[in-house]
Amino acid sequence: MTPATLYLSNDTSSRAVGADRLAKQLRQQSNARLIRTSSRGAFFLEPMIERDVTEGREGRMVWCNVTASDLPNIVAGRGGVPLRSIPFLSAQSRFTFSNFGITQPLALDEYRTRGGFEGLERALDMARDSIIEELKIAGLRGRGGAAYPVWSKWQAARQTESDEKFVVVNADEGDAGTYCDRMVMEGDPFRLIEGMLICARAIGATKGYVYCRQEYPAAAGAMRAAVRKVEEAGLLELNGRPFAIDVVLGAGSYVCGEETALLESLEGRRGVVRAKPPYPAVSGLYRKPTIVSNVLTFATVPNILTRGGAWHASLGTDRSRGTIALQIGGRVAQPGLVEIPFGLSLRKVLDQFGGGMAAGSRFKAVQVGGPLGSLFPESKLDIPICYDSFSDAGAILGHGGIVVYDEDTDMVELARHFMAFTADESCGKCTPCRIGSLRGRELLDLVHGGRATKAELTLLTDLADTMRTASLCALGGRAPYPVLTAIEHFPGEFQTRLRAQEAGTG
């Protein structure tokens, strides 16, 4: 009897809810053959076990939230639901995450069978300027937060004369509620390497680095293993010269997600922000031309070279082309990762993919873009998810992290938490961020403790304006946004604390 072929994610999030325990039990059964894949990102359904409908045919059945007692039925093929019947998965448009849940992360042959390295092969046949022109047609903007046109950075590095140039992956994914970079590194590391090689080919780079946060040991391990496999396959070479890639662990500083602080850290110094210009594309690592982009940006590039820039530009909105990976978390019914074209409203994303609020909770606020993102009340949920609409609303998309808060959330405490985070993580290079965040935390301590006056609340908003306009990088410049939007949209919670103090009851 042919053993049943079963698929189970080896992603860190899946393992955290018991995937490894299930794998151990399945491997003890002679009538089951287990394949560990990447995760489909439907974390509310993990651990998930999948099984081919008929061996050798397309289509799978899936069992969700599996426990040990479910294994006999799964091995026997009893129960389960068609994978395509799960709306969270079927309603997405997956291109960057197209291999997730299907391939084994470190199976190079599988990656190539599914079109891997076709983008690089095309790039090797193109002139360097033509590669950059393809990205310009695609309209790809950096997925790390600044949303800067990728082709423009590549062109600057391409046109700068230097004996050495570098490609640096910013894998210091530190925003609360974001994990898509980790998923790419753990689940489809060859796609990231292919994006790096295309960039290196376009700008004439001689070496690459993956700067990975130390909290991602599995991702760093997967990247190192993938680099070895690509090197052994003879693919880590450009124009007859070896292109070495090193995976470097950061020391756990949030500000090292800022590109110049990252470069300082990569050079062996404390992660402190550099003044710009010059920008890294002209003077970056060791003062040589360097492209620094996050994991998702590089992972998006191979499809653009394979399918063409016009294909990518056909997705999304006028100025936000392509797809975006949204990571939905907090008090929602269905936390997980979705990939969809830009343009869907925040409300529809939370309803259609987030599944609404978690049982027993009511919506109060949502924050998009990590700890520096603005806080939106329910009245702002119809904003389209694209760079320009968020910019017009005084907000950022950041890295696509969405965190939902319920009615039990204390907005004063939340604002205080985010300002304290900035005070802890500031590199100290500029006064507005270094001193402003400390004073901001002190003022919010007073408000939180019921000891602030109305004048001190006004001082807090003045301080926020100074930080916003005078800080050297986005950490200080964006830090006031969650505080200001909390005051704007939930004024009662701040005023109540002040009135208590003024009445002598705080």
Side-chain angles (χ1 to χ4, degrees):
M1 181 178 178
T2 304
T5 301
L6 305 176
Y7 305 88
L8 174 64
S9 168
N10 196 36
D11 179 88
T12 292
S13 298
S14 307
R15 289 157 52 202
V17 292
D20 281 348
R21 291 193 294 274
L22 296 174
K24 184 177 180 180
Q25 290 183 264
L26 285 170
R27 288 194 176 106
Q28 293 171 350
Q29 301 190 31
S30 60
N31 55 348
R33 183 172 76 96
L34 179 65
I35 294 176
R36 300 300 296 269
T37 66
S38 48
S39 171
R40 294 186 184 272
F43 295 126
F44 63 102
L45 299 178
E46 294 285 3
M48 293 170 57
I49 293 181
E50 300 175 23
R51 175 180 178 143
D52 291 328
V53 175
T54 301
E55 297 294 337
R57 292 180 58 190
E58 189 71 20
R60 290 180 183 174
M61 297 292 286
V62 59
W63 288 257
C64 304
N65 304 125
V66 173
T67 64
S69 63
D70 298 319
L71 296 182
N73 283 333
I74 296 172
V75 173
R78 292 189 292 268
V81 298
L83 187 70
R84 293 193 182 96
S85 70
I86 300 176
F88 181 90
L89 298 173
S90 62
Q92 297 185 43
S93 299
R94 290 197 159 196
F95 299 106
T96 304
F97 290 84
S98 60
N99 286 341
F100 281 73
I102 300 173
T103 59
Q104 299 176 78
L106 293 174
L108 184 57
D109 55 338
E110 275 192 298
Y111 181 70
R112 303 190 77 164
T113 299
R114 291 180 58 81
F117 289 109
E118 288 182 5
L120 175 62
E121 290 170 7
R122 184 174 178 229
L124 292 174
D125 290 335
M126 297 169 68
R128 288 173 174 168
D129 289 335
S130 298
I131 299 172
I132 295 171
E133 180 63 23
E134 201 71 53
L135 287 184
K136 186 176 182 180
I137 294 170
L140 176 64
R141 297 167 69 172
R143 299 300 196 241
Y148 196 75
V150 173
W151 73 268
S152 184
K153 290 170 66 172
W154 287 26
Q155 185 177 63
R158 160 89 177 98
Q159 294 176 343
T160 302
E161 294 295 328
S162 177
D163 59 336
E164 284 186 298
K165 297 181 183 180
F166 301 105
V167 175
V168 175
V169 178
N170 181 350
D172 197 49
E173 185 179 49
D175 282 359
T178 58
Y179 41 78
C180 69
D181 285 355
R182 176 188 62 73
M183 287 182 64
V184 170
M185 290 188 286
E186 287 189 27
D188 205 5
F190 300 123
R191 185 179 297 274
L192 172 58
I193 293 172
E194 184 179 358
M196 293 176 70
L197 289 170
I198 293 170
C199 177
R201 161 66 184 163
I203 69 170
T206 50
K207 186 172 174 57
Y209 294 90
V210 178
Y211 184 93
C212 183
R213 67 183 314 213
Q214 67 168 356
E215 293 89 343
Y216 284 175
M223 285 307 308
R224 290 190 176 110
V227 169
R228 283 195 299 273
K229 289 210 167 192
V230 172
E231 188 173 20
E232 290 167 1
L235 296 172
L236 218 51
E237 183 179 300
L238 287 173
N239 304 317
R241 299 174 56 187
F243 181 81
I245 296 177
D246 285 348
V247 179
V248 179
L249 284 184
S253 169
Y254 180 80
V255 79
C256 286
E258 197 280 338
E259 58 182 357
T260 60
L262 183 155
L263 293 175
E264 288 287 306
S265 175
L266 201 53
E267 291 179 12
R269 291 187 291 273
R270 189 163 68 93
V272 175
V273 173
R274 298 176 186 170
K276 294 185 285 189
Y279 292 94
V282 174
S283 178
L285 188 65
Y286 305 118
R287 301 306 189 266
K288 303 292 180 69
T290 304
I291 292 298
V292 185
S293 288
N294 77 338
V295 173
L296 192 57
T297 305
F298 284 116
T300 305
V301 169
N303 273 333
I304 293 175
L305 268 293
T306 302
R307 297 167 180 257
W311 162 79
H312 186 265
S314 69
L315 303 168
T317 67
D318 285 346
R319 297 189 61 193
S320 299
R321 305 289 191 175
T323 60
I324 181 169
L326 297 171
Q327 300 122 97
I328 307 170
R331 296 292 289 158
V332 292
Q334 299 180 172
L337 175 137
V338 299
E339 182 183 358
I340 55 174
F342 285 96
L344 201 64
S345 74
L346 188 52
R347 185 187 304 278
K348 287 184 178 177
V349 166
L350 294 179
D351 289 344
Q352 183 175 352
F353 295 103
M357 295 299 293
S361 61
R362 289 194 305 163
F363 179 90
K364 184 170 188 178
V366 61
Q367 186 178 36
V368 183
L372 310 180
S374 299
L375 290 159
F376 288 138
E378 196 277 339
S379 62
K380 300 289 185 182
L381 290 185
D382 292 318
I383 181 173
I385 295 181
C386 61
Y387 296 121
D388 299 295
S389 293
F390 267 65
S391 178
D392 292 343
I396 54 169
L397 268 179
H399 196 34
I402 299 175
V403 179
V404 174
Y405 300 97
D406 66 14
E407 76 280 12
D408 293 331
T409 305
D410 181 333
M411 301 309 287
V412 176
E413 170 60 27
L414 191 63
R416 174 178 171 274
H417 165 76
F418 288 127
M419 189 57 79
F421 174 82
T422 300
D424 289 342
E425 296 293 341
S426 174
C427 75
K429 182 68 173 286
C430 72
T431 303
C433 179
R434 182 180 72 249
I435 303 300
S437 58
L438 288 174
R439 297 290 88 81
R441 182 174 63 184
E442 291 170 358
L443 288 166
L444 283 161
D445 281 343
L446 292 176
V447 177
H448 185 261
R451 294 176 283 115
T453 64
K454 188 175 181 180
E456 285 166 326
L457 192 58
T458 301
L459 177 61
L460 178 63
T461 58
D462 290 344
L463 179 70
D465 285 338
T466 300
M467 291 181 66
R468 189 168 52 179
T469 56
S471 294
L472 194 55
C473 79
L475 178 60
R478 288 294 317 181
Y481 282 80
V483 177
L484 292 174
T485 50
I487 294 173
E488 177 186 357
H489 299 303
F490 306 94
E493 297 192 31
F494 289 82
Q495 294 296 332
T496 299
R497 304 283 176 95
L498 298 184
R499 282 198 294 271
Q501 190 277 338
E502 289 169 354
T505 57

